[in-house]
Amino acid sequence: EMAEDSTSFNLAWPIGVRQIYRLQYNSQDSAQPFVDAAMGATSSEPMSASLQLVARVAVTGEGPGAIPGSSRVQFEIEACNEASWKAAGAEIWRNANDCNEMLDGAALGAEVAQTGRVLEVFDPPEASSAVQSLLQTLWLAMQAELPATDHELEDEGYRRESETMHGTAKHLYLTQGVNPLVLERRTETYFDLRIARGLAEKPEVQAGGSTRFEFGDDGTLRRLGGEERLSVATAAGLEILSSNVSIELVWQGREQTNIAKTNGQQGLEQWSRRSPGSIPTSANIQAQLLDQRVGDLDESILLGRLRNLGLIGVEEDAARFIWQATGLLEQQPEHCLLYTSDAADESRGGGGEGGGGG
């Protein structure tokens, strides 16, 4: 009889075998970005994005992972059949040709446990942050976590937490069949949401939807389909995130590949690695985002407004000023002590020549 801490079913990604799937993915997202999360101030316009994609995708087994029992795989979009991608008012893909051109040669690596939990993701050198974010979004949507023991198959479901691009999701898994294995994943809630970090009060989260996963007797993923939805609002009722996703994945077959021609385990070791759900942002992109945040604020304006705080109190655009100021200090951390000590002297009336005592 099988031990209680084992399971008769493990996810399989055979080395050198490329599993081919037809993927259909649709998403509609709207986010209200914060100027200052703690104060609840927002920018004037929400940011929206939509993606419609029908594509041939492939998952290739690259070899064993660093953790015993885990596998390393490579995920690719081989060909876009239908595609449309809009974000923040910009049309990124107008058609399948745009998609194929942008994704030419793009790939995401991952280390996956036998249960399906994604342990780590890998990005190739000089990869586009936007492309890697997209590939990770699709890859994480395709993942289910299998039962750790056979007893979990017999119980009334089991719960797992998994990382997504929005934050940590809590799922309930229900067994719909055993030979072959069929699972239903129901989304119960989210926590540690990226968009809500820094909020003074706990956000209101509404999550739902379900996805059905079907596996072959050989441990390969054969089909999945479902819908997921997420709504996040501040304690005051302002919706700051709305996300609706539908996905369908159907196994088309397998191809034997020459593992020497793929990246393999040694190749993935040369790729940059990060935790699942994290944003793949290059140092150059981070600098650009910080520049946009700081805007026209410079050292002289910052110091002048800090001096005025003691004279005129909090100004109407205080939230935006704090957001810009903290960004400037992040760019120039060596000036933090200078600004605070100078402003403190001014507020006491002791700054500058001839300043009197308070």
Side-chain angles (χ1 to χ4, degrees):
E1 186 177 39
M2 188 163 292
E4 290 188 2
D5 61 348
S6 64
T7 177
S8 57
F9 191 93
N10 291 316
L11 191 64
W13 297 110
I15 300 174
V17 176
R18 184 186 301 270
Q19 309 284 350
I20 308 298
Y21 299 90
R22 180 185 186 272
L23 170 68
Q24 183 169 345
Y25 183 90
N26 296 279
S27 66
Q28 293 281 343
D29 297 275
S30 178
Q32 179 72 69
F34 281 99
V35 172
D36 185 270
M39 299 183 70
T42 65
S43 65
S44 57
E45 295 293 333
M47 298 176 63
S48 60
S50 64
L51 173 66
Q52 289 82 45
L53 177 65
V54 178
R56 171 186 164 104
V57 303
V59 183
T60 305
E62 300 284 350
I67 296 178
S70 68
S71 301
R72 287 186 174 174
V73 301
Q74 182 175 311
F75 172 60
E76 301 167 274
I77 298 180
E78 292 194 332
C80 304
N81 300 320
E82 300 174 27
S84 172
W85 187 11
K86 299 177 182 178
E91 198 168 32
I92 302 173
W93 294 341
R94 294 165 297 174
N95 49 46
N97 289 336
D98 291 345
C99 174
N100 286 317
E101 183 178 347
M102 186 175 184
L103 297 178
D104 183 31
L108 180 80
E111 183 161 332
V112 185
Q114 286 180 322
T115 59
R117 173 176 286 273
V118 181
L119 305 173
E120 205 166 30
V121 293
F122 300 81
D123 300 309
E126 307 302 325
S128 160
S129 297
V131 169
Q132 296 309 112
S133 291
L134 172 65
L135 292 177
Q136 178 178 232
T137 297
L138 298 174
W139 174 251
L140 293 178
M142 292 165 50
Q143 307 309 306
E145 189 153 354
L146 310 183
T149 69
D150 281 347
H151 287 283
E152 287 187 322
L153 291 172
E154 303 166 3
D155 295 338
E156 296 181 358
Y158 57 95
R159 287 177 170 82
R160 295 289 187 271
E161 297 173 1
S162 59
E163 299 305 318
T164 74
M165 296 297 284
H166 293 307
T168 305
K170 186 173 184 179
H171 298 298
L172 170 65
Y173 286 91
L174 299 171
T175 305
Q176 303 294 338
V178 177
N179 293 306
L181 181 65
V182 179
L183 297 174
E184 179 188 0
R185 185 188 70 193
R186 296 180 182 175
T187 303
E188 295 187 320
T189 189
Y190 277 77
F191 58 94
D192 193 25
L193 287 154
R194 182 172 289 109
I195 197 169
R197 291 172 187 171
L199 276 178
E201 299 182 38
K202 185 178 179 181
E204 298 292 331
V205 179
Q206 295 183 349
S210 65
T211 302
R212 178 184 173 93
F213 295 82
E214 301 176 16
F215 298 88
D217 292 332
D218 58 355
T220 58
L221 175 63
R222 293 303 179 97
R223 178 187 291 267
L224 72 87
E227 298 180 352
E228 303 283 340
R229 59 187 180 275
L230 171 64
S231 175
V232 184
T234 64
L238 172 67
E239 187 175 57
I240 56 176
L241 176 65
S242 172
S243 178
N244 293 277
V245 173
S246 66
I247 184 173
E248 182 180 43
L249 187 78
V250 181
W251 186 76
Q252 303 287 285
R254 60 168 59 91
E255 299 173 355
Q256 193 70 36
T257 65
N258 184 347
I259 195 66
K261 294 183 179 180
T262 68
N263 289 285
Q265 185 175 10
Q266 296 302 318
L268 291 184
E269 287 291 349
Q270 306 304 316
W271 292 15
S272 60
R273 59 180 64 194
R274 54 191 169 86
S275 58
S278 61
I279 298 177
T281 307
S282 66
N284 183 48
I285 296 296
Q286 288 178 330
Q288 292 178 20
L289 292 174
L290 202 54
D291 284 340
Q292 293 176 4
R293 172 176 166 183
V294 172
D296 60 357
L297 186 68
D298 59 21
E299 298 175 40
S300 60
I301 296 175
L302 174 59
L303 193 53
R305 293 193 62 170
L306 287 175
R307 287 169 175 164
N308 287 336
L309 283 177
L311 300 175
I312 62 176
V314 178
E315 302 177 49
E316 289 185 3
D317 65 341
R320 178 169 179 78
F321 166 65
I322 293 172
W323 180 244
Q324 287 182 294
T326 52
L328 181 62
L329 294 178
E330 188 174 336
Q331 282 182 327
Q332 305 173 20
E334 68 275 8
H335 295 313
C336 289
L337 184 60
L338 171 63
Y339 291 145
T340 53
S341 61
D342 196 352
D345 287 344
E346 288 292 331
S347 66
R348 290 194 300 268
E353 190 173 341

